[in-house]
Amino acid sequence: MKALLLILAPVLAATAPQTAPALPASPPPTLTGDWDTNHGVVYLDQDGSRITAEYDYQGKRDNRLEGVLKGNTLELSFRQPSFAAPLDHGRARLTLHSNGTRWEGPWYDATGKQQGIWEGIKIGATPEQPEREFAPLLVSPVP
């Protein structure tokens, strides 16, 4: 019996499932740059996961964003001194799409009421291919 185990041990070891080595985490996208958004141009800076930005309103660049990048989500707070309350400050939760050159997500005023969807694309970036649904495969009528 011992001889049989000695013979089978290498065979069993060779057929045992192997775990794949862990893939290295992909680096976060580089968001620094100018973004064309449905609320004007945003001038964004990134330092690691920390995000700061400013944007214009009626010729004044006194509007500010601050937040963090968590995975593919930007969690931001904003201040807009040119606007009356409750639009003078609030927050946004923006989802980055594909290669980090486009964002989209809701923004909320100071009371927490959703005011709309904020969309942006990094100036100079090529938008990714749109998401598509494909028709299911059909069984061929030919045997």
Side-chain angles (χ1 to χ4, degrees):
M1 182 69 163
K2 198 173 194 180
L4 182 59
L5 285 176
L6 289 174
I7 294 171
L8 290 178
V11 174
L12 292 174
T15 59
Q18 302 287 324
T19 51
L23 296 175
S26 60
T30 302
L31 304 178
T32 297
D34 300 340
W35 291 73
D36 186 17
T37 81
N38 58 332
H39 294 286
V41 176
V42 173
Y43 310 94
L44 193 144
D45 287 311
Q46 178 182 5
D47 184 10
S49 64
R50 182 168 158 64
I51 303 296
T52 56
E54 50 188 35
Y55 53 102
D56 298 335
Y57 178 72
Q58 295 183 341
K60 291 190 234 172
R61 192 179 296 179
D62 60 352
N63 302 292
R64 305 279 185 263
L65 292 170
E66 288 186 2
V68 294
L69 175 62
K70 295 180 179 179
N72 70 335
T73 302
L74 285 169
E75 294 181 1
L76 303 168
S77 61
F78 62 85
R79 296 231 170 257
Q80 306 180 125
S82 300
F83 289 81
L87 298 176
D88 60 336
H89 68 281
R91 63 185 179 83
R93 185 174 174 87
L94 308 173
T95 301
L96 294 171
H97 293 279
S98 188
N99 54 5
T101 60
R102 190 167 61 92
W103 77 47
E104 177 182 53
W107 66 276
Y108 305 88
D109 66 20
T111 68
K113 180 181 177 189
Q114 183 177 336
Q115 291 291 328
I117 299 295
W118 199 353
E119 298 174 304
I121 186 167
K122 193 171 184 183
I123 294 175
T126 304
E128 73 272 13
Q129 184 176 4
E131 296 172 4
R132 297 186 178 150
E133 290 186 24
F134 292 93
L137 294 175
L138 302 175
V139 177
S140 173
V142 179

